[in-house]
Amino acid sequence: MSAPRLLQVAAMETDLGWLALVGDATRVHQVTFPRASRKAALLAIDVPAEAMVRECDWYPALVRRLQEYAAGAPDDFRDVALDLDHLTPFQRRIVKACRAIGYGQTASYGEVAAAAGNARAARAVGNTMAANRFALLVPCHRVVHRGGDVGRLSGAARQRLRLRRLESLDLASGTVHPPRRRRAATPR
């Protein structure tokens, strides 16, 4: 029997609400969508039963970037390493295609499917985005129905609209520069 995996958790308050960031020494395992409270963000964490979880000041550089993004600073987060082990190879290509959508831009489910290698797999894109563990890092809020429609205004759809408005308002202000390109960062 192998030793349980140690995951670290950092909870942070942002202008969008509370987020919880989960990971290990090399990769992010989850970022929750914004919640109303610290407790709600921590309760939204989905970790394997065999994992040991420790709350700490984990990955302070990413915490700061997430807070800056929530305050309106553009960032693409493409340099952040993610744990995609739970995904199929096609789902990983979907995540890669989604992460390639630029700040303030959108792509349809079909366009993401085509970029991932199967133009007829828009439903698979939707299912992958619905199960997205990496809020903000995998910008599922930038994936829309053909024509830009967000679909039903569920809680998740309202969050996506809020994030798209944040990015659009920044672009409209004329003060936003292209997302910062950063060297690949590792958790500390």
Side-chain angles (χ1 to χ4, degrees):
M1 187 163 105
S2 63
R5 184 168 57 176
L6 175 63
L7 296 176
Q8 299 176 80
V9 177
M12 73 206 80
E13 188 171 17
T14 74
D15 288 357
L16 295 169
W18 282 86
L19 303 174
L21 174 64
V22 183
D24 60 25
T26 60
R27 301 180 295 181
V28 173
H29 291 254
Q30 183 181 5
V31 180
T32 63
F33 273 100
R35 305 291 177 164
S37 68
R38 180 179 176 280
K39 181 178 180 180
L42 292 172
L43 287 173
I45 294 170
D46 181 26
V47 295
E50 73 278 0
M52 293 177 51
V53 179
R54 180 184 75 169
E55 190 175 354
C56 61
D57 183 27
W58 183 71
Y59 211 163
L62 182 55
V63 167
R64 185 173 48 260
R65 286 173 65 187
L66 287 165
Q67 289 170 326
E68 290 171 356
Y69 171 86
D75 200 330
D76 65 13
F77 300 107
R78 291 181 203 168
D79 60 304
V80 178
L82 306 176
D83 175 10
L84 303 177
D85 293 346
H86 64 289
L87 300 177
T88 67
F90 183 63
Q91 289 171 325
R92 290 179 192 153
R93 291 194 307 273
I94 290 170
V95 166
K96 181 179 179 181
C98 182
R99 290 183 93 186
I101 303 168
Y103 183 91
Q105 304 297 311
T106 60
S108 72
Y109 289 95
E111 290 168 332
V112 173
N118 184 348
R120 298 176 53 110
R123 187 172 298 220
V125 171
N127 291 336
T128 302
M129 295 297 97
N132 182 15
R133 291 185 188 179
F134 307 101
L136 310 181
L137 304 183
V138 175
C140 58
H141 61 279
R142 297 178 189 154
V143 182
V144 297
H145 293 274
R146 192 176 346 171
D149 180 30
V150 294
R152 293 175 289 136
L153 279 181
S154 64
R158 279 192 282 281
Q159 283 281 18
R160 290 192 309 268
L161 273 174
R162 185 177 179 201
L163 292 169
R164 281 208 306 273
R165 280 191 201 117
L166 170 77
E167 292 183 7
S168 295
L169 288 174
D170 289 341
L171 291 173
S173 73
T175 60
V176 174
H177 303 285
R180 295 179 296 240
R181 296 303 296 174
R182 299 173 183 265
R183 289 189 319 235
T186 55
R188 290 198 171 77

